[in-house]
């Protein structure tokens, strides 16, 4: 399986368990690795035979800015589902970063990574 990778997609979302997170929002960063067989697209030089990563980027950030959820796990699943809705995508690995998570000790980042594939 070939991979198309988008790193560092940024958007403000209103996700989290705390009321303040849902009221004020915060930045989220998303990395997506898409498993795609790109041979047909490469042979034909035809975008229609692969996945348009510009569209995927817009959909990922739209998911982040969309309806709120409590858990990063839920947000990551929503993003993976959106990626897998593209016919060419066979696998999706999604990492959601929450660099301003409400943690009382110094930290660099909080992430969750999930990997999903078509059944």
């Amino acid at each position: 399986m070939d991979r198309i990778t988008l790193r560092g997609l940024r958007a403000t979302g209103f996700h989290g368990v705390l009321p303040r997170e849902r009221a004020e929002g915060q930045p989220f960063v998303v990395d997506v690795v898409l498993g795609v067989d790109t041979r047909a697209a490469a042979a034909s030089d035809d975008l229609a035979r692969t996945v348009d990563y510009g569209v995927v980027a817009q959909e990922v950030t739209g998911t982040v800015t969309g309806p709120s959820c409590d858990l990063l796990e839920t947000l990551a699943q929503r993003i993976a589902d959106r990626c897998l809705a593209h016919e060419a995508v066979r696998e999706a690995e999604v990492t959601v970063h929450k660099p301003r998570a409400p943690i009382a000790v110094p930290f660099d980042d909080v992430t969750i990574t999930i990997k999903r594939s078509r059944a």
Side-chain angles (χ1 to χ4, degrees):
M1 190 69 51
D2 304 315
R3 297 182 318 176
I4 297 173
T5 303
L6 294 94
R7 293 201 196 291
L9 299 171
R10 301 178 193 293
T12 299
F14 296 83
H15 311 287
V17 176
L18 301 178
R20 183 186 60 147
E21 294 178 289
R22 288 176 172 256
E24 297 173 11
Q26 61 189 293
F28 290 83
V29 181
V30 180
D31 305 322
V32 177
V33 180
L34 306 173
V36 180
D37 183 346
T38 63
R39 290 176 287 194
S44 64
D45 200 28
D46 183 0
L47 178 60
R49 302 194 75 182
T50 187
V51 62
D52 184 334
Y53 52 78
V55 170
V56 172
Q58 290 176 334
E59 292 172 350
V60 168
T61 57
T63 303
V64 172
T65 61
S68 298
C69 53
D70 287 346
L71 302 178
L72 288 179
E73 292 86 341
T74 304
L75 180 57
Q77 184 66 54
R78 288 177 182 174
I79 294 168
D81 290 343
R82 189 67 207 110
C83 292
L84 289 169
H86 291 270
E87 184 178 336
V89 177
R90 295 289 169 232
E91 297 175 345
E93 180 178 295
V94 176
T95 301
V96 177
H97 302 256
K98 190 174 181 181
R100 293 193 192 159
I103 297 175
V105 298
F107 73 101
D108 289 331
D109 199 6
V110 172
T111 68
I112 180 170
T113 300
I114 66 170
K115 186 173 183 179
R116 301 292 186 263
S117 59
R118 292 183 183 273

